[in-house]
Amino acid sequence: MASSLKSMLATLLLLAIALPDCQAKSKPSLIGKQAIHHAIGRQANHIEPPKRHKPKFRPGPWMKAHATFYEGGSGTYGGACNYKDVAGEGYGMNTAALSSVLFKNGQTCGACYEIKCADSPQWCKIGQSSLFVTATDHCPPNPSLPNDNGGWCNVPREHFDVAKPVFSQLAEYKAGIIPIHYRRVPCKKQGGIRFTILGNPWFYQVIVWNVKGAGDIVSVQVKGDDKLKWTQMERDWGATWKTSAILLGESLTFRVRASDKRYSTSWHVTPKNWQFGQTYEGKNFN
C-alpha cells in the first residue's frame, strides 16, 4: 500500500512539473509577445523608404493662344518678375509677359515656352518654325476693353506679350496680334542657379534666377552653417523670396524646388562675409 502511494505521488509530481512547460510551449507569454514586437519595431525603424526618382522636365502639350508685342529696352523686360537685366542675366530678348491666367501671380516666372505663329498665312513669317521665350513679366488685364478687342490679357485669355524683336521673327509686326501655338519646354541655361541677395540686416530678399529644367520655382529654403537651421522663405514677388531670419554672418545653403517637384540643394554657396547686392552661383538642375 505504501509503495502504491509513493508511486502515485511521484506521478502527480511529474505532471505538475510538465504542465507549465507545455502551456508555455503552446501559448507564448505576454512578455514574449512584447519582446517580439519591440524587435520588429527596431528593425522597421532602420528600413529607409525608397528614394523616388523624378524624371527630368519634359515638353508639354501644344495649346492655342495669341501674341502681341511691346517696345522697350533690355532693362525693362524684367518687369513683374524682378529680373534686373534680362540681357545681362542670360535671358536675352526672347522674353514674354504673360496674361494673368498664365502668370499665376508670379509663380510662372522663369518658365520657358516654345511658341509659333499659326493659322495666319497673311502674317506668319515663312520658314520660321518656332521660337523659345522665358516668362519674365506680367501682361495686366484691361477690363475697360473687351477681351477680343484690346483686352488681350483679360481673364480667361491665355496670351503672350513678347518683345518686338521676337514678334518680328514670328510674323509681320503690322499684324499687331497673331494666333499662336505654345507649349512648356525645359529651360536651357549656362552654369548654376544664381542667388542675388538684397535687403538689410533685419530683412532679406533673394532673387533666384538662371534655373534649368522647369525654370519656375515654387519653394526656397535657406540654411546657415551655425545658428540658422533650415528656414522656409516666402515669395515676395515674382522671382524674389524673402525672410526675416538672420542670414548675416552665416555661410548660406539654398534648397529650391521647381514646379515639377524636383529639388536642387546648393551647399554653402556664400562665404560667411557675403555682401548685400552680390550674386552667388549654386547647383543647377541636371
Side-chain angles (χ1 to χ4, degrees):
M1 182 68 179
S3 178
S4 300
L5 182 59
K6 288 181 179 179
S7 298
M8 185 179 297
L9 289 173
T11 302
L12 290 173
L13 181 61
L14 289 173
L15 288 173
I17 295 172
L19 184 59
D21 184 60
C22 292
Q23 289 177 340
K25 291 180 180 179
S26 62
K27 185 178 182 180
S29 66
L30 179 60
I31 295 175
K33 287 183 177 180
Q34 291 175 340
I36 293 172
H37 172 77
H38 290 320
I40 293 175
R42 287 195 300 270
Q43 185 178 8
N45 288 338
H46 287 87
I47 297 176
E48 296 183 2
K51 295 181 180 180
R52 296 182 179 179
H53 174 71
K54 292 183 174 59
K56 294 182 180 180
F57 189 81
R58 302 296 182 188
W62 286 101
M63 309 288 287
K64 292 183 178 181
H66 285 79
T68 50
F69 67 87
Y70 61 99
E71 305 280 356
S74 65
T76 65
Y77 293 160
C81 287
N82 202 27
Y83 298 124
K84 299 303 181 183
D85 182 351
V86 293
E89 294 173 359
Y91 296 102
M93 297 295 101
N94 284 34
T95 59
L98 307 184
S99 60
S100 297
V101 171
L102 295 174
F103 191 66
K104 299 178 182 178
N105 293 321
Q107 295 181 32
T108 319
C109 287
C112 297
Y113 297 86
E114 182 180 6
I115 61 176
K116 57 185 179 181
C117 185
D119 306 323
S120 185
Q122 180 182 1
W123 301 114
C124 292
K125 286 288 184 71
I126 299 175
Q128 180 61 56
S129 57
S130 61
L131 290 174
F132 299 90
V133 297
T134 304
T136 62
D137 203 356
H138 177 218
C139 180
N142 188 351
S144 63
L145 295 176
N147 292 8
D148 59 351
N149 188 16
W152 310 123
C153 292
N154 292 349
V155 177
R157 291 180 64 94
E158 297 185 353
H159 191 87
F160 291 76
D161 197 26
V162 300
K164 186 176 179 179
V166 176
F167 187 93
S168 63
Q169 295 180 57
L170 291 173
E172 299 292 339
Y173 73 88
K174 293 181 180 179
I177 180 172
I178 57 171
I180 63 168
H181 290 165
Y182 79 92
R183 65 174 178 171
R184 281 284 301 271
V185 293
C187 295
K188 298 179 180 180
K189 306 297 179 184
Q190 297 295 322
I193 297 176
R194 307 301 205 278
F195 302 92
T196 301
I197 307 177
L198 305 174
N200 56 60
W202 302 274
F203 179 75
Y204 301 82
Q205 294 175 308
V206 178
I207 305 174
V208 183
W209 53 282
N210 200 57
V211 181
K212 291 175 62 176
D216 51 341
I217 298 301
V218 299
S219 172
V220 177
Q221 295 174 298
V222 61
K223 178 184 179 300
D225 66 325
D226 187 11
K227 297 179 181 179
L228 182 66
K229 307 303 180 184
W230 279 116
T231 300
Q232 182 67 49
M233 302 188 74
E234 299 178 20
R235 189 188 299 274
D236 193 3
W237 55 291
T240 303
W241 297 77
K242 64 182 180 180
T243 183
S244 57
I246 304 302
L247 309 186
L248 208 60
E250 301 252 14
S251 174
L252 301 177
T253 293
F254 292 99
R255 177 173 293 158
V256 299
R257 182 185 184 192
S259 62
D260 61 353
K261 300 182 180 180
R262 298 180 74 211
Y263 285 89
S264 177
T265 303
S266 300
W267 292 97
H268 308 297
V269 295
T270 75
K272 284 180 175 290
N273 62 341
W274 60 264
Q275 301 294 316
F276 289 106
Q278 295 297 310
T279 298
Y280 302 92
E281 182 174 349
K283 178 184 176 183
N284 221 324
F285 291 93
N286 295 325

